[in-house]
Amino acid sequence: MAVNTPNETLCGSASIHKNKVLAAIKAEPPSESLLELSELFKVFSDPGRLRILSALSESELCVCDLQEVLSASQSAVSHQLAMLRAARLVRTRRDGKTVYYSLADSHVRAILLVGLEHVEEKRGLA
Amino acid sequence: MAVNTPNETLCGSASIHKNKVLAAIKAEPPSESLLELSELFKVFSDPGRLRILSALSESELCVCDLQEVLSASQSAVSHQLAMLRAARLVRTRRDGKTVYYSLADSHVRAILLVGLEHVEEKRGLA
DNA sequence: TATTCATATGTATGTATATTCATTTATGAG
DNA sequence: CTCATAAATGAATATACATACATATGAATA
């Protein structure tokens, strides 16, 4: 059992680049933002949700449409939609018994697109 | 127990929007891409990794620098770096015993920036 | 060779997340 | 009001994941 705390086990201070470390710490976004950002990306980190967002970037759709697009159960789709709602990535509109979903804003598509670009590019030089 | 398969339990076909559903299915990226994309975003879905990427977007840093920036154990940092390497988001350069990390390409910063934009904007109208 | 230091990897455990089934709420029709 | 249907929610389980701890590799050096 190690007694020393993990944080103090630094490599010899000779090889640390103090100024760069300080600059990096200074430039760091506030931890609030980092947390929100990580949660945002977490929502994007599931193929099912990506499919929903992709579908909604084509057109507004109701829950049972999405059920059909994803070939998933109503409950599963609804749970994913709840998460997307919580993350404010989608908007809802009710018409009678039917609830229609659409993308909340243009950032959603932007994030999808820049991510896809990266993936497609990396595929080339794999 | 219900006998019907989940997929067939659709809302009355009257309320389904066949053409939109088909369009959404047609426009869907290949499942390969969706999977890679979800894995890409998963890498971004941790505050620690975001901090590493943020730090590296300032300047190239070695592992023990990052240890200091994050106030994390060497093991934790090394694990996160392994994940970032696997996702090809960072590049390494060895100089003697020291391994220097830097961002792999400009997409990484782009994704960070558009995500941060979204987060900052949402904060305004919360 | 033996030792030390920087980094990497393996394993085990708690936590988080997705899915399913069952139930509940909301809306519209008869 | 009662019944049927769309969507949402809750509880339970099974899987995935992050982390901590221990150990391993590999280079420099004494």
Side-chain angles (χ1 to χ4, degrees), chain B residues 21-85:
Chain B
V21 168
L22 291 177
I25 292 176
K26 199 172 170 189
E28 190 169 296
S31 64
E32 254 184 25
S33 297
L34 287 172
L35 203 73
E36 286 181 38
L37 193 52
S38 68
E39 277 161 12
L40 175 71
F41 285 128
K42 184 167 296 177
V43 178
F44 281 87
S45 73
D46 178 84
R49 286 191 291 271
L50 290 178
R51 290 176 73 193
I52 291 177
L53 294 174
S54 160
L56 293 182
S57 79
E58 287 299 308
S59 63
E60 173 187 75
L61 293 169
C62 74
V63 176
C64 68
D65 289 338
L66 289 167
Q67 234 175 292
E68 183 144 323
V69 172
L70 299 191
S71 306
S73 74
Q74 181 273 320
S75 178
V77 171
S78 188
H79 272 280
Q80 304 289 40
L81 287 174
M83 198 170 308
L84 293 171
R85 257 185 289 126

